Structures are given as C-alpha cells and as structure tokens.
Amino acid sequence: MAVLDSIKEAVISGNKPGAVAGVQQALNEGIEPGKILNEGLIPAMAEVGLRFENGEYFVPEMLIAARAMQAGLDLLKPLLAQGGVEPIATVAIGTVKGDLHDIGKNLVAIMLEGAGFAIKDLGVNAPPEKFVQAVNEGAQIVAMSALLTTTMPSMKTTLEALKAAGLRDRVKVMIGGAPVTQAYADEIGADGYSPDASSATRLAKSLVGAA
Ligand code: B1M
C-alpha cells in the first residue's frame, strides 16, 4: 500500500510531520492500526537499525528517525490499546542509580517500543528497588543502562536485589551503555548485553523467544 510505503520513507528519512501525516492518512483510509504499526513503523525502524549497523547512519540520524517514529506511534497508541494488539513483552528500562545520562537509554526505549515491546520507563538514577517493583508489577525484561564506570556496579546491585526478592527466575536482564561490555554482563550474571539500540531490540526478542 502506497501510504505504508510513505510512512516507512518518512521515518527512515526522519521526517516527523511526514510520519504523522502518513499515519493519519492511513487511518483515514481505514487501515488497521496494527497493520500500520507492523507494516509501516516497525519495518522502518528495523531499516534504520540496519543502516546504523552498516555505518550508513549515525546517532543523530537514528535519533531523528526515532522521533519521527515516536510521533507516528503516539497517534496509534490509544487505538492499539483499544484494538487489543498485544505487546511482545513489558520492558522496565532505566539508567542505573547515580547516573543521569539518558539519551542512549531513551533511544533504546524507542527502538524497543518500535519493535513491539511495552515500555515502563524508570527514568534516570533508578535505584534497584525501582527495578524490583517494576518486575513485581509484571515486567518480563529489565533493561539497565549506565554511561559511567562508577555507576556500572549498580547493575550488579540491582541483579542482587532481584535475587534477594526471589524474582531473578521470573525476569530476563539485559544491560548496555558505552562502558559496558559482554565480559561485564557475564561477570555479573546478566542474561545479555548489546552495544547499541538496534541490536538491543534483537537481544530483547531473543530473550523472550520472539526472535
Ligand atoms: Co557525561 N560523561 N557526565 N554527561 N557524557 C560521558 C559518558 C563521558 C564518557 C565523557 C568523557 O569524559 N569523555 C564521561 C564518563 C567517563 C566514564 O565514566 N568512563 C562522563 C562524565 C565523567 C560525566 C560527569 C561525571 C561529568 C561531571 O560532572 N564531572 C557527569 C555525571 C552526571 C551523572 O550522571 N551523575 C556527566 C554529565 C553529563 C551531562 C548531564 C552533561 C550529559 C548527559 C545529558 C543526558 O543524557 N540527558 C552528558 C553527556 C551528553 C555525555 C556524553 C558527551 C554523551 C553521552 C551520550 O548521550 N551519547 C558522553 C561522552 C561521549 O559518549 N562521547 C559523556 C549518545 C548516546 C546515544 O550514546 O549513551 O552510549 P550512549 O548509548 C548508546 C549505546 O551505549 C547503547 O545504545 C545507545 C545507542 O546506540 N546503550 C544501550 C545505551 N544504553 C543501553 C542499554 C541497553 C543496550 C544498549 O540495554 C539495556
């Protein structure tokens, strides 16, 4: 459908008004919100992720595309909720305690939302208790971001808090952020690490068996 192609094109090129107008036009044409999401917005963000991984796009292009997708998604969200489109899983995402950097975390959240996950954003400086509470409230994935070497240990503390609360077996834990590595994820017993927002969506899907 031409309008779905125009939505894709708008998101890929970071054209926010174009994405909003495309989604509105698709709704006016009577296209199901789930179809607009699955055949317009999600493949567009997947393409953006590929271009990022291939070195064709950099963080600014990805951020601009993510904003365009978010604007289109905002229009669809209430309709998707009414239509009963089920998210893949709920992700509780936050920047760990002591850390105020949120640009990467927000990008990961938007990409995950664009890939079909429900997001519970715990914000920045999120203490272990906040993650524990989110899991108690039903989150199936905990996603922690850290940009400072001094705040990385809070990821370990959060894992320990999940264990102490008897929740570790009920949740998958993924981590990321500039100083974080796969070796660190292995060391603290996280279920996965991803280096960027695009691969974070693949990791999250594989963690819940939706790859
Ligand atoms: Co800060 N800062 N900062 N800073 N800051 C860094 C991180 C730093 C590397 C700069 C430097 O010294 N070269 C350095 C950290 C050194 C270290 O510990 N190794 C640093 C420092 C020291 C500090 C302060 C301590 C400075 C001071 O006050 N003396 C202070 C700390 C405040 C605090 O947090 N308590 C501080 C403050 C700030 C600002 C508030 C001014 C601002 C943050 C604004 C904001 O986020 N709203 C800021 C910024 C902007 C930066 C830099 C310049 C850029 C970070 C960024 O947004 N990158 C940064 C230097 C740099 O990186 N060049 C720096 C873009 C973003 C898209 O990338 O966050 O890496 P990133 O996210 C990527 C991946 O890492 C990954 O996906 C994202 C997209 O691909 N990813 C995940 C991230 N989270 C993920 C989670 C996942 C998976 C992937 O799964 C859950």
Side-chain angles (χ1 to χ4, degrees), residues 152-174:
M152 282 168 60
S154 186
M155 294 176 155
K156 186 170 182 231
T157 315
T158 302
L159 272 160
E160 285 164 358
L162 288 168
K163 268 187 214 146
L167 297 171
R168 186 63 188 93
D169 295 340
R170 270 174 41 188
V171 69
K172 297 290 181 188
V173 176
M174 55 188 276

Side-chain angles (χ1 to χ4, degrees), residues 98-104 143-145 147-149 176-178 194-197:
D99 200 321
L100 303 175
H101 296 85
D102 69 354
I103 298 169
M144 290 185 272
S145 178
L147 262 288
L148 300 172
T149 42
S194 72
D196 56 54

Side-chain angles (χ1 to χ4, degrees), residues 186-197:
D186 295 340
E187 182 189 321
I188 66 171
D191 298 301
Y193 153 80
S194 72
D196 56 54

